[in-house]
Amino acid sequence: MSEAEKPGSKSLPIGGILVKPGSSIEYKTGDWRAFRPTLDEKKCTGCLICWIYCPDSAIIRKPPIVAINYEFCKGCGICANECPVKAITMVEEGA
Amino acid sequence: MAKVIGLTGDHAIAYAAKQCDVDVVAAYPITPQTIIVERFSDYVANGEVKTEYVCVESEHSAMSACVGASTTGARVFTATSSQGLALMHEILYIASSLRCPIVMAVVNRALSAPINIHCDHSDMMGSRDCGWIQLYSENAQEAYDLTIQAFKIAEDPEILLPVTVNLDGFIISHCMEGVNVISDEEVRKFLPPRKAVYKLDPANPITIGALCFTDYYFEIKFQQEDVMKKVPAKVKEVGEEFGKITGRSYGLIETFGLEDAEVAVMCLGSTAGTARVVADKLRKSGKPVGVIKVRLYRPFPTQEIVEAVKGLKALTVLDRVATSGAPSGPLCSDVKTALYAETEKPLITNVIYGLGGRDISPENLEDIFNDALRTADVGRVDRPIKYVGVRE
């Protein structure tokens, strides 16, 4: 949405209240990322520890392994840190 | 049926809050807290109210709990003072920005250091830009009356802003007066239960307090600027409606002797009573003096003040707060700003007085009026800021 298309103070609900639930799905936080988790599919055992730990639910179950949703992954690195088989490595974005 | 009972300012406010049938009170009960919440806890313990009384671990938590309760649609009340208000500072902005119509009594007292529990306006003035509507009362009667009106102003769907009812520490809070109270039935009629516009409700989920970055924050803050413009008319309307029930009508400011005054003193709170007595005495000896009491401090009643000072030659603005490097005290700065664009305006002097509960006597005020008369005579301000009542 361009700046001009965004609602102004008079049409926004008061106090920045979000009057409909579920809108965070529209807020893509992937562009906050400085480091990108990359998955070595050969090493992944599908143990789902990363899936449990990810604070943004950006790990997707893709049996027998997992995948990463880069639209929401903020690149915090928790998955890489927790992976018991070192299947995830953090790579600098744009590198 | 109206009746007169002996109440301290604290007790008068607790009594008003009881009659307003508040749903939640969250408060921290240790100094600098006042007897307001202590009396209210008596009402809870005695079963006189059905209020949920949340005894929290600090004023920061007290205001946080008030915000949480208010977002569920509850009518919320709390009280604080000096350091307690300072500790709430962060959450005051959240309450106003999330449009929580909380009513809070603020017993105005000095801020530390040195440690002091007596009256001045440093506490509220330290948070004057927090987005709350700020009313100042002159005595226990007004503190009682304004508390009832505050809920009606705050909860109006057109307004939805929190309100502080300010009263001078000890001078009003701890002194007993005969207070005209109206019946519970009359209060209920004047102030029906709150109808929340938005509220947290599991059946209709909404988000309150979401992240709001560069693309929306400014718009949300601008909403607050916008709604503040509607507040003076609402305060007036509610004050007049209250007058129809009680015979005590309220406006944004209150003036005395201005019809023929050449000089006037302007102030907040209990000092207005002393100023009026002194002005009355001086007027009887032929001196053209008057008094302007500012009841609504935020939003600032610019238009009313511009009108009120028309024709005055000199105006002395009293500030009960340290300026610490500012060009003048907060009330005086506001008045000067309000009058800047006017072609004809009085000569303005600022008086800083009464810090840490230092008494301001009728003699002090007589000197202040006489100084203002001299300023009007010579036609210039010699000392823009004077400190009255301090030993040099």
Side-chain angles (χ1 to χ4, degrees), chain B residues 217-232:
Chain B
Y217 183 88
F218 203 169
E219 279 71 26
I220 302 303
K221 295 308 282 185
F222 189 70
Q223 288 177 340
Q224 285 173 258
E225 302 290 315
D226 231 18
V227 73
M228 273 291 185
K229 290 182 201 134
K230 296 182 189 165
V231 173

Side-chain angles (χ1 to χ4, degrees), chain B residues 34-53:
Chain B
T34 66
I35 295 150
I36 297 172
V37 294
E38 189 182 323
R39 280 293 88 80
F40 199 88
S41 69
D42 290 343
Y43 297 141
V44 176
N46 295 341
E48 293 177 60
V49 285
K50 289 197 182 103
T51 310
E52 184 72 35
Y53 191 96

Side-chain angles (χ1 to χ4, degrees), chain B residues 7-10 31-35 81-82 106-110 116-120 138-140 167-177 270 320 356-359:
Chain B
L7 295 173
T8 63
D10 282 342
T31 299
Q33 187 52 275
T34 66
I35 295 150
S81 184
S82 94
V106 178
V107 175
N108 299 123
R109 287 166 162 173
N116 177 298
I117 56 167
H118 291 277
C119 174
D120 71 35
E138 180 185 328
N139 47 42
L167 63 159
D168 285 347
F170 289 97
I171 301 163
I172 305 175
S173 67
H174 287 60
C175 290
M176 192 175 282
E177 290 173 34
S270 64
R320 196 166 200 155
R358 177 65 50 83
D359 211 15

Side-chain angles (χ1 to χ4, degrees), chain B residues 4 59 281 358:
Chain B
V4 181
E59 284 84 358
K281 180 187 154 198
R358 177 65 50 83

Side-chain angles (χ1 to χ4, degrees), chain A residues 1 3 5-23 27 32, chain B residues 97-99 160 197-198 205-213 215-216 218-220 222-223 226:
Chain A
M1 202 186 294
E3 283 300 311
E5 287 168 333
K6 285 176 184 167
S9 68
K10 286 193 167 59
S11 49
L12 285 166
I14 59 162
I17 292 169
L18 303 175
V19 292
K20 275 187 201 151
S23 61
Y27 192 16
W32 296 17
Chain B
S97 300
L98 296 184
R99 310 295 291 274
L160 293 173
V197 177
Y198 293 110
I206 59 167
T207 298
I208 299 179
L211 195 66
C212 209
F213 275 161
D215 48 355
Y216 286 109
F218 203 169
E219 279 71 26
I220 302 303
F222 189 70
Q223 288 177 340
D226 231 18

Side-chain angles (χ1 to χ4, degrees), chain B residues 314-383:
Chain B
L315 173 69
T316 302
V317 183
L318 309 190
D319 270 296
R320 196 166 200 155
V321 52
T323 54
S324 295
S328 59
L331 180 60
C332 190
S333 289
D334 288 334
V335 170
K336 284 179 173 173
T337 306
L339 295 176
Y340 181 75
E342 300 301 309
T343 42
E344 285 192 28
K345 51 194 168 238
L347 296 162
I348 300 174
T349 309
N350 192 196
V351 162
I352 309 293
Y353 76 102
L355 301 188
R358 177 65 50 83
D359 211 15
I360 182 151
S361 64
E363 293 72 30
N364 290 146
L365 274 153
E366 199 164 330
D367 289 346
I368 290 167
F369 276 115
N370 285 329
D371 272 353
L373 286 165
R374 258 193 302 279
T375 301
D377 250 5
V378 299
R380 64 167 194 278
V381 175
D382 288 327
R383 286 170 65 194

